[in-house]
Amino acid sequence: MTIDEYAAWAANAAKVDEDPSNERLAYLGLGLAGESGEVAEHIKKLLRDDWLDKAGLVEELGDVIYYWACLCAATGQQPSELLKASAAKIKRRISEAASR
């Protein structure tokens, strides 16, 4: 399954339509923030306990991707195009940092 196919599936599962309400966008954004917090919680516990629950972290990363994919669909963006744009932006930053 490609990232674009996953986003289409996630949007269908979450019943995201082409013109979502502000409430729906807020729900998805808060879902993304909440799941990102769960990822942070695993990292915090790693620092505290010197042990990482990799399975739990991976599960939460999957939830992050789900909400991210839903937000991509809700805003009419193809995830693959966002990934390309993100990579280009990061490459520019690395190049700029290296030239300093």
Side-chain angles (χ1 to χ4, degrees), residues 18-29:
E18 293 178 12
D19 189 25
S21 67
N22 289 348
E23 183 178 285
R24 191 68 175 149
L25 285 172
Y27 171 82
L28 295 171

Side-chain angles (χ1 to χ4, degrees), residues 77-93:
Q77 304 300 307
Q78 285 293 102
S80 61
E81 294 301 316
L82 288 176
L83 293 174
K84 287 178 194 173
S86 175
K89 180 180 176 182
I90 291 167
K91 286 177 186 177
R92 279 193 311 275
R93 286 181 181 167

